[in-house]
Amino acid sequence: MKELLKKDFYFDLPPELIAQDPLEDRSSSRLLVLDKNTGKITHKVFTDIVDYLYEGDCLVLNNTKVIPARLMGIKKETGAAIEVLLLKRREKDIWETLVKPGKKAREGAVIHFGDGLLTGKVVDVVDEGNRLIQFQYDGIFEEVLDQLGEMPLPPYITHKLADKNRYQTVYAKYDGSAAAPTAGLHFTNKLLENLWKKGIKTAYVTLHVGLGTFRPVKEENLLNHHMHSEFYQVTQESADLINSTKKNGGRIICVGTTSCRTIESAANAEGMVQAGSGNTEIFIYPGYQFKVLDNLITNFHLPESTLIMLVSALAGREKVLCAYQEAVKEQYRFFSFGDAMFII
């Protein structure tokens, strides 16, 4: 197999095309439809997705819920400002976190949040300089976090989010993500109802999106890149629905790269999805043979990211880069609050 290099997935993106705010109507974003076999490109709006889905198809949606994981605190000993980003719950009140500036948060440091409503003590320094912080509070942690925390918007979004719910899918259910599964942000309850009326099934899976989603690929040779680990869960009901759809000739259409990574991680060699939970480090790039997924609804991703590599595994690198060039030319909105792409 030809060596795959990070630079092979670069494209030039004018900064003004990075969407800073969500549209008022989630489903009014634009939709670029890419035929993975022919490379044909069609320009639509997102509500037109109904015309491309057929009775017997199954949409796979990630029902993770983003937690307000960004906390602004003060170091007790010095009064220095410290930003803490919750990444993963290790035990009941111990979280793995990303701390800025790290040099002010050595082991033993105590950080106060919200005038002492929440207190955190750094108990260990782990991989990549992340801190394990043990929190103390009165009441329920999630309620304290909802009061003090901010949505952990990606670094390329500089505007403040007026409504926390706009960085949340309408079907978000299980707390645990440090980032939204953004392809799902385009769906409204009305649009999901229209799909249901047309006979399109919906299977919900859970993958808690980690901040590694935004970490740049540092290795030039992709084979040397190590993916971050993320927790996923597939219920028996969803596994049965996906498997019966495949058996009956329907298509499996994943909404977002996280749904795709979940079902591909949960599938056996025969392409049957197994119910269960675990951690996945699956890295999908060109050459990967999809076991379950047929089509993908996704957003436009960062140059040289693992996400554009996954999309290229499905539609081919050249076709994807051509579609991205077309999207730039047509002034599509990019990234988390941007427009969508459907690979058919």
Side-chain angles (χ1 to χ4, degrees), residues 6-200:
K6 180 175 77 168
K7 67 181 182 186
D8 294 337
F9 298 89
Y10 178 80
F11 65 94
D12 198 29
L13 180 69
E16 61 270 19
L17 294 185
I18 299 171
Q20 292 295 326
D21 303 289
L23 296 177
E24 196 169 326
D25 172 10
R26 290 171 181 262
S27 60
S28 66
S29 55
R30 294 164 78 188
L31 179 69
L32 185 149
V33 182
L34 172 64
D35 187 315
K36 64 180 187 283
N37 298 313
T38 65
K40 184 188 173 193
I41 293 168
T42 312
H43 300 289
K44 296 284 184 179
V45 293
F46 195 78
T47 46
D48 292 331
I49 200 83
V50 176
D51 301 331
Y52 287 91
L53 302 178
Y54 310 119
E55 186 177 352
D57 285 345
C58 179
L59 272 185
V60 182
L61 303 130
N62 181 8
N63 60 9
T64 188
K65 194 171 187 181
V66 187
I67 58 173
R70 179 171 274 121
L71 290 161
M72 308 307 291
I74 301 288
K75 188 176 178 182
K76 183 186 175 188
E77 298 83 355
T78 63
I82 291 182
E83 181 182 326
V84 173
L85 200 58
L86 304 181
L87 298 179
K88 191 185 292 183
R89 185 180 238 141
R90 288 289 195 94
E91 294 170 45
K92 185 179 182 293
D93 289 322
I94 297 178
W95 284 76
E96 183 175 341
T97 68
L98 186 66
V99 177
K100 289 194 292 194
K103 63 178 183 292
K104 291 190 181 352
R106 296 195 169 93
E107 197 172 331
V110 176
I111 308 164
H112 284 190
F113 308 92
D115 297 324
L117 200 62
L118 179 68
T119 302
K121 183 178 181 181
V122 179
V123 294
D124 201 3
V125 180
V126 292
D127 294 347
E128 298 180 347
N130 291 348
R131 268 58 175 173
L132 292 189
I133 294 182
Q134 181 155 27
F135 290 101
Q136 287 188 310
Y137 50 91
D138 289 327
I140 297 166
F141 182 75
E142 284 72 18
E143 289 180 1
V144 175
L145 189 62
D146 202 46
Q147 190 175 334
L148 299 179
E150 297 173 18
M151 279 298 185
L153 294 178
Y156 47 75
I157 292 177
T158 56
H159 292 191
K160 195 151 177 80
L161 186 62
D163 177 4
K164 280 183 183 179
N165 288 324
R166 293 311 310 274
Y167 194 56
Q168 208 79 269
T169 62
V170 295
Y171 46 81
K173 191 172 183 181
Y174 299 110
D175 284 335
S177 273
T182 54
L185 295 178
H186 303 283
F187 285 89
T188 61
N189 286 318
K190 184 174 185 297
L191 183 53
L192 288 168
E193 188 184 336
N194 289 343
L195 291 168
W196 176 75
K197 283 177 182 170
K198 195 175 174 180
I200 292 133

